[in-house]
Amino acid sequence: MSRGRVEISGQFSVDTPLCVSSSGPFQIDMHPSSIPNVTSIHSWNGFCDSVDQALAPLARIKTIAKIAAFLLYVVIALFVFGIQLLPRMIDDFDYGLLKYSAFVVFPIFAIYAIVWFFYIRGGLKTSMDKVKGVCEQYSTMNGGVKYTLESEHWGGCNKPHVMRWYIIVDVDEEANNANVADTTDNATASDYFSTQETSPDYFSTSAQREIATSQKETDLPA
């Protein structure tokens, strides 16, 4: 029995969505160094494709998270420097309608909080639940391989709810090799019969057999 860790690239801290420019697309590492001969695992490519498909919606979520965070920081900067600090530097500044700026700024904070909590965090959880389902499905299909979705704290000064996700792969070499051998045998037999039935020699032989049968029927005494 061997065990390896498979990373999921493209992740970002939901608390600091502006720091995602270099995180790349969401996808599973198809060639992890922690698992030797990973391509020999039964249905490995299919598993990776299914995980990537489950992660696909996170690309849009990450983009929206980055844009929303940027707009939020712009609003904060305008509020602090344009409404709080700059007027104080001007003598006898008439605040006018600026006195009611809080009624504009605070709703913007509330909207961002709703987007962050329900769309960004909710979308991340939904996609990871789908990845967990893929792991369970392929663990059931492949008797020699078990996939488990795990998470760990992001690290640094991030809050406890900020997690980094990865997949643990447990491989029973004997059972996995048996599954691979069964699949190869079935594929070989299927390829053989399909090749035999679609080859010119097959059709030629079949035609000759039908002609010979017809001739025998014709030669039979009435």
Side-chain angles (χ1 to χ4, degrees):
M1 177 76 71
S2 61
R3 165 174 287 199
R5 169 169 170 159
V6 181
E7 302 293 344
I8 299 176
S9 62
Q11 300 184 65
F12 67 98
S13 169
V14 293
D15 277 1
T16 56
L18 274 182
C19 303
V20 302
S21 58
S22 60
S23 58
F26 276 92
Q27 60 185 15
I28 189 174
D29 181 9
M30 293 189 64
H31 303 284
S33 58
S34 60
I35 306 178
N37 300 323
V38 67
T39 55
S40 65
I41 295 179
H42 183 246
S43 300
W44 172 251
N45 290 337
F47 170 74
C48 293
D49 291 341
S50 298
V51 171
D52 287 346
Q53 185 176 0
L55 295 172
L58 291 177
R60 177 178 175 84
I61 292 175
K62 182 169 61 173
T63 300
I64 293 178
K66 186 177 180 180
I67 295 174
F70 175 77
L71 294 177
L72 177 67
Y73 292 148
V74 169
V75 170
I76 293 175
L78 292 175
F79 179 75
V80 172
F81 293 102
I83 299 177
Q84 297 296 322
L85 297 180
L86 185 60
R88 299 175 188 273
M89 300 177 183
I90 302 175
D91 295 336
D92 300 327
F93 180 81
D94 184 12
Y95 276 86
L97 294 178
L98 290 179
K99 293 185 294 184
Y100 307 101
S101 59
F103 293 99
V104 177
V105 174
F106 290 141
I108 292 177
F109 280 102
I111 292 173
Y112 177 79
I114 294 173
V115 171
W116 176 81
F117 187 81
F118 290 101
Y119 185 75
I120 299 174
R121 288 191 61 186
L124 178 62
K125 183 179 184 303
T126 299
S127 290
M128 290 307 169
D129 286 343
K130 291 181 180 179
V131 173
K132 182 179 180 180
V134 171
C135 292
E136 293 175 351
Q137 176 186 358
Y138 274 83
S139 296
T140 303
M141 291 170 51
N142 304 332
V145 185
K146 180 181 179 182
Y147 302 97
T148 307
L149 180 66
E150 300 285 354
S151 62
E152 62 186 5
H153 181 240
W154 188 272
C157 52
N158 289 281
K159 296 178 181 178
H161 67 266
V162 182
M163 309 300 291
R164 178 183 285 104
W165 301 85
Y166 59 94
I167 297 175
I168 293 296
V169 182
D170 294 298
V171 182
D172 184 340
E173 286 79 3
E174 293 184 2
N176 177 68
N177 293 338
N179 286 333
V180 172
D182 290 342
T183 303
T184 303
D185 292 342
N186 292 335
T188 302
S190 176
D191 292 342
Y192 172 77
F193 286 113
S194 64
T195 302
Q196 290 295 316
E197 293 178 359
T198 57
S199 64
D201 292 340
Y202 174 84
F203 288 112
S204 176
T205 304
S206 299
Q208 292 175 1
R209 188 180 300 111
E210 292 179 1
I211 294 173
T213 302
S214 299
Q215 290 177 348
K216 289 181 179 180
E217 292 177 352
T218 303
D219 295 339
L220 290 175

